Amino acid sequence: MTEKAEFPVSKVRRYLEPGPIVLLSSAHRGQRDIMALGWHTMMEFTPALVGCVIAADNHSFELVRGSGECVLNLPTAAMIDTVVGIGNTSGMEVDKFEHFGLTAGRGVNVDAPLIRDCPVNLECRLADASLVERYNFFIFQVMRAHAVPQPEHHETLHYTGDGVFMVAGGTVSRREQFRPELLD
Amino acid sequence: MTEKAEFPVSKVRRYLEPGPIVLLSSAHRGQRDIMALGWHTMMEFTPALVGCVIAADNHSFELVRGSGECVLNLPTAAMIDTVVGIGNTSGMEVDKFEHFGLTAGRGVNVDAPLIRDCPVNLECRLADASLVERYNFFIFQVMRAHAVPQPEHHETLHYTGDGVFMVAGGTVSRREQFRPELLD
C-alpha cells in the first residue's frame, strides 16, 4: 500500500460521513481486539467528534471503556471477507490481528493499535461517555488521522443487515451547485 | 412510483445503516421544512432508535424541537439535484415542497409531512433530547415505516463533503459466512 500521510482531522467526514463499515481496534491490559462497526455518525468538525454504538456483549466494549481509546480503520471493499470474518468471530476466542493476518501499527496519540492494512486510520480518544450506559453510545474525538494520499475516495462496504453489503465507489460532484460556505 | 407498504420498524437498518443522505421533513405551527442530512446512525433495533445531528442554524432545528417529530425520507441517486437544492436553500426563504415540486403525504403516527416522491418514509418521534443542547444530537424512535416492496436496496447518495457524493448501488451477499444469530 502507498505510504500514509497525516490527514487533517477536521476533514475526516470525507471517510466517515458516507457511512461505511469501519474496523474499530482497541487494546487494554494486554488484550487487543478488532470489531466491525456500522453504527456511527459524525457529530462535529472541530473538535472532530464521532459517535459510535458498540454493543455491550462485544469484547471490544470493555477494552474501549477501560482504555478510553480506539482506532477507527477504513477497510476497502476488497477486504470484505476479512470484515465478515471479524464480525463473526469473538475477540474472547481469537486474536483477530493474528487470525486474519493483519498488521498492527503504533499510534501517535493512542496506545490502541492501528490496522496498517487499511488505507485510513483515525486515532480516537473517548470524549463523552454520558450515553454509554443507556445506549452503548461512545462519543470519540479524532486526535490524529493517517490516510494514503490517493485515492481520495475508496471503494467501501455499507452494511444493510442479513449478510448483505452495498458497495459505494463511484463519485458524482455537484460542487458548482453548492453555496461557497458549504464547501471545504 | 410503486405503491408503498408498511415495513417492519425493527428492520429499518436496511435503509439507514448504509449511511445514505436522507431528507428530513418536519412541520410546526403552520411552517414546514425539508433538510438534507448525512450525520445519522442507527442506535437500537427495538425500539427502533436513530440518532441525528441537526445543525442549530437550520430552519428544521426549531420545527423538530418544537414538534418533537420528523419524517426521514430516503432519496434515490436519481434525485441528486433535488437533494443538492434542498441542502443549499433555506426553509426561511422558500417552501421546499413547492420549490422542488415534491408531494407532501400524511403520516399515521406524526403530523410531520412525508415526502411521497421518496421510496422509503420513516415516521419518527423525538425519544431523547438530552444531547440536543450540547451536540444538536436528536435521538428519534421510528414509529412507522413505509417502503416500496421492490427494490430491497435503492441506489443511494453518500456525502463526502466538498460537493462530492459517492453512489452506492450494487450489493454483495456474504450471508453464508454469517453466524445464524447475526442474520435477520
Side-chain angles (χ1 to χ4, degrees):
Chain A
M1 192 188 306
T2 322
E3 191 81 17
K4 288 170 197 159
E6 197 161 330
F7 183 83
V9 292
S10 61
K11 297 196 173 188
V12 294
R13 70 139 19 141
R14 180 194 294 177
Y15 302 114
L16 294 177
E17 184 168 336
I21 283 285
V22 295
L23 296 176
L24 183 151
S25 49
S26 59
H28 189 52
R29 294 187 180 163
Q31 294 187 67
R32 62 184 183 178
D33 195 24
I34 308 173
M35 68 176 287
L37 187 143
W39 289 17
H40 60 79
T41 180
M42 284 297 303
M43 293 185 71
E44 187 53 273
F45 291 115
T46 304
L49 299 181
V50 186
C52 299
V53 177
I54 303 176
D57 62 356
N58 199 299
H59 186 50
S60 297
F61 181 93
E62 290 303 337
L63 304 189
V64 172
R65 193 156 70 163
S67 66
E69 296 180 349
C70 73
V71 178
L72 299 177
N73 308 274
L74 183 72
T76 61
M79 294 172 71
I80 185 168
D81 291 313
T82 300
V83 169
V84 172
I86 285 169
N88 283 273
T89 48
S90 167
M92 294 292 282
E93 289 155 19
V94 297
D95 178 295
K96 297 197 192 180
F97 281 96
E98 281 183 20
H99 193 77
F100 295 104
L102 298 169
T103 305
R106 188 183 289 272
V108 179
N109 293 61
V110 302
D111 288 328
L114 283 61
I115 304 176
R116 291 177 56 93
D117 313 78
C118 291
V120 178
N121 309 114
L122 311 178
E123 300 185 32
C124 298
R125 283 226 185 99
L126 184 56
D128 188 332
S130 63
L131 292 191
V132 169
E133 285 300 322
R134 183 145 188 198
Y135 301 108
N136 299 326
F137 189 68
F138 295 74
I139 300 176
F140 296 111
Q141 180 177 348
V142 181
M143 309 302 296
R144 191 172 294 260
H146 313 269
V148 296
Q150 293 295 333
E152 286 184 26
H153 305 280
H154 298 272
E155 192 173 63
T156 47
L157 298 167
H158 300 253
Y159 192 54
T160 75
D162 209 26
V164 175
F165 296 84
M166 298 186 82
V167 177
T171 59
V172 183
S173 176
R174 285 293 185 276
R175 207 168 188 284
E176 74 287 353
Q177 296 174 26
F178 273 66
R179 299 202 316 262
E181 67 271 26
L182 294 181
L183 297 172
D184 293 348
Chain B
M1 191 189 306
T2 321
E3 191 80 16
K4 288 170 198 160
E6 198 161 329
F7 182 82
V9 293
S10 62
K11 297 195 173 191
V12 294
R13 71 141 14 145
R14 180 195 293 175
Y15 301 115
L16 294 177
E17 185 168 337
I21 284 286
V22 295
L23 297 176
L24 183 151
S25 48
S26 59
H28 188 53
R29 294 186 180 165
Q31 294 187 68
R32 62 184 182 177
D33 195 25
I34 308 174
M35 69 175 286
L37 185 146
W39 289 17
H40 61 79
T41 180
M42 284 296 303
M43 293 185 73
E44 186 54 271
F45 291 113
T46 304
L49 299 180
V50 187
C52 299
V53 177
I54 303 176
D57 60 357
N58 200 298
H59 185 50
S60 296
F61 180 92
E62 290 303 338
L63 304 189
V64 172
R65 194 156 68 163
S67 66
E69 295 181 350
C70 73
V71 179
L72 300 177
N73 308 274
L74 182 72
T76 61
M79 295 173 69
I80 185 167
D81 292 312
T82 300
V83 169
V84 171
I86 286 170
N88 283 273
T89 48
S90 168
M92 295 291 282
E93 290 155 18
V94 295
D95 177 295
K96 297 196 192 180
F97 281 95
E98 281 184 21
H99 192 78
F100 296 105
L102 298 170
T103 305
R106 188 183 289 271
V108 178
N109 294 62
V110 302
D111 288 327
L114 283 60
I115 304 175
R116 291 177 56 93
D117 313 78
C118 291
V120 179
N121 309 115
L122 310 178
E123 301 186 31
C124 297
R125 284 225 184 100
L126 183 55
D128 188 331
S130 63
L131 293 191
V132 169
E133 285 300 321
R134 184 146 188 198
Y135 301 108
N136 299 326
F137 188 67
F138 294 73
I139 301 176
F140 296 112
Q141 180 177 347
V142 182
M143 308 301 295
R144 192 173 292 260
H146 313 268
V148 296
Q150 293 293 334
E152 287 185 26
H153 305 281
H154 298 272
E155 191 171 66
T156 46
L157 298 166
H158 300 253
Y159 193 54
T160 74
D162 209 26
V164 175
F165 296 84
M166 298 185 83
V167 177
T171 59
V172 183
S173 176
R174 285 293 185 276
R175 207 167 188 283
E176 74 288 352
Q177 296 174 25
F178 274 66
R179 298 202 317 261
E181 66 270 26
L182 294 181
L183 296 172
D184 293 349

